[in-house]
Amino acid sequence: MLTLRGVVAGYGGGDVLQGVDLDLAAGAIGCIVGPNGAGKSTVLRAVSGLLRPREGQIALDGEPITGRPPAEILALGIAQVPQSNGLFPNITVRENVLMGGYILRRDRALLRRRYAAVQELFAVVRERGADKAGNLSGGQRRMVEIARSLMLDPRLVLLDEPSLGLDPKALKQVFETVTLLRDAGKTVLLVEQNVRFGLRLATHGIVMESGRVLLTGAADAVLNNPEMAALYFGGSVEESRRGATTVPAPTPALSARLTGR
C-alpha cells in the first residue's frame, strides 16, 4: 500500500527526516510513536504532499507520489486529518463535513451519497448536523474531522495525534472510530504521543527517533519491546544497546538499525 524509501525532508534548510524507510500494508493500522522532534508528523506531511521531500521516494500501491501537489495526492486517495482545531467553528457540522468533498461539488448526486454514508457511520454527524461545530465537545469535533476526511472515500487516512487533549470517554470514541475505518476497508497511518493508546489501537508499530525509524513490527510486540522503556524513560534506543547487560537485546524481527546515508 504505502512505501517510503530513504525519505529526507525538513523545513528552512534543515532536514528533520534523515532517510526514512517505512512499509504499511493495505488494511493495516500503523502507529508512529517517538519522542518530540522525532519527525513523526513530518512523515505525514511528506506523504500528503504538504512537504516536498529533498531526497527519497514515496509510493502508493506502487505509484510514485513524491513531490506531487497535495490536491493530486488527495485525489489519489490519501486524506489527512490535522492535529487539532481543524473545523470551522462558526458553520454547521454538516457544512464542515461537506467541505471534505469540495472537489466533488459539481457532482451533487455523488456528494449526497457520500454524505449519507458518512451519516451512517458517525452519530454526531447524523444527530448534530445542524449545530455549529464550535458547540461540540473535543471528542465530537475529532469525530467530525475524521468524518470529513471520508467524503472522498480515501484508501489511506492519515491521523495526526487523534488523542490530543481528549478525555477518557472521547479516547474510547476515537479508538472505536479508527477500528471502524479499518473494518470499512481503509488503511490508517497515525501519529501518537500517547504511546500505549496508539499501539493498542494499531496493528503495526513504528518507533522513530532523530528522524529515523528504529523499531518496527506487530504493535503489541513493539509496545512490549524492552527498548521502548529506554526510549520513553530518559534514554534512547542507541543507549539501551550500549547497556546491553541491563536491557535484553531485541529480536531481529522487531528491530532494524538504520545506517547513515
Side-chain angles (χ1 to χ4, degrees), residues 22-70:
L22 188 153
D23 293 280
L24 188 65
I29 301 174
C31 180
I32 306 175
V33 299
N36 288 333
K40 305 182 298 295
S41 294
T42 303
V43 170
L44 299 190
R45 294 188 186 105
V47 172
S48 65
L50 296 175
L51 179 65
R52 187 184 184 94
R54 189 169 64 79
E55 295 179 18
Q57 296 295 321
I58 305 173
L60 180 70
D61 288 332
E63 180 177 354
I65 62 172
T66 318
R68 291 196 187 188

Side-chain angles (χ1 to χ4, degrees), residues 24-196:
L24 188 65
I29 301 174
C31 180
I32 306 175
V33 299
N36 288 333
K40 305 182 298 295
S41 294
T42 303
V43 170
L44 299 190
R45 294 188 186 105
V47 172
S48 65
L50 296 175
L51 179 65
R52 187 184 184 94
R54 189 169 64 79
E55 295 179 18
Q57 296 295 321
I58 305 173
L60 180 70
D61 288 332
E63 180 177 354
I65 62 172
T66 318
R68 291 196 187 188
E72 287 187 18
I73 292 175
L74 183 63
L76 287 172
I78 298 178
Q80 181 168 351
V81 179
Q83 189 176 96
S84 62
N85 300 319
L87 298 183
F88 298 96
N90 295 321
I91 63 176
T92 67
V93 168
R94 181 178 186 276
E95 289 166 335
N96 269 281
V97 173
L98 288 173
M99 287 288 289
Y102 181 77
I103 64 175
L104 303 175
R105 63 193 182 278
R106 291 184 176 85
D107 191 338
R108 293 182 178 275
L110 177 58
L111 202 60
R112 284 195 297 271
R113 290 197 299 273
R114 291 277 175 82
Y115 186 78
V118 167
Q119 276 187 311
E120 286 297 311
L121 291 174
F122 294 90
V124 66
V125 176
R126 187 168 61 250
E127 297 167 4
R128 303 287 299 273
D131 294 346
K132 294 287 183 68
N135 294 332
L136 300 179
S137 69
Q140 289 171 328
R141 287 195 296 270
R142 182 55 88 189
M143 295 303 102
V144 174
E145 289 168 354
I146 296 173
R148 181 175 58 187
S149 75
L150 299 186
M151 285 295 292
L152 295 180
D153 193 23
R155 290 181 282 168
L156 173 64
V157 179
L158 309 176
L159 301 177
D160 196 352
E161 299 278 12
S163 75
L164 184 67
L166 300 185
D167 59 30
K169 180 179 178 181
L171 285 178
K172 184 174 183 292
Q173 291 178 318
V174 170
F175 192 103
E176 292 171 347
T177 298
V178 175
T179 303
L180 181 150
L181 294 180
R182 182 197 62 195
D183 293 345
K186 309 299 182 188
T187 303
V188 179
L189 179 62
L190 64 129
V191 161
E192 260 301 336
Q193 280 292 103
N194 187 333
V195 176
R196 291 190 180 278

Side-chain angles (χ1 to χ4, degrees), residues 178-252:
V178 175
T179 303
L180 181 150
L181 294 180
R182 182 197 62 195
D183 293 345
K186 309 299 182 188
T187 303
V188 179
L189 179 62
L190 64 129
V191 161
E192 260 301 336
Q193 280 292 103
N194 187 333
V195 176
R196 291 190 180 278
F197 172 82
L199 291 178
R200 285 172 176 164
L201 171 61
T203 61
H204 187 74
I206 304 113
V207 183
M208 291 187 65
E209 186 182 31
S210 302
R212 296 178 182 273
V213 174
L214 298 180
L215 301 172
T216 64
D220 57 349
V222 170
L223 180 60
N224 294 314
N225 191 285
E227 293 190 347
M228 291 293 287
L231 190 63
Y232 284 98
F233 291 97
S236 69
V237 170
E238 191 62 31
E239 287 169 357
S240 83
R241 289 186 176 134
R242 290 198 295 267
T245 56
T246 57
V247 180
T251 61

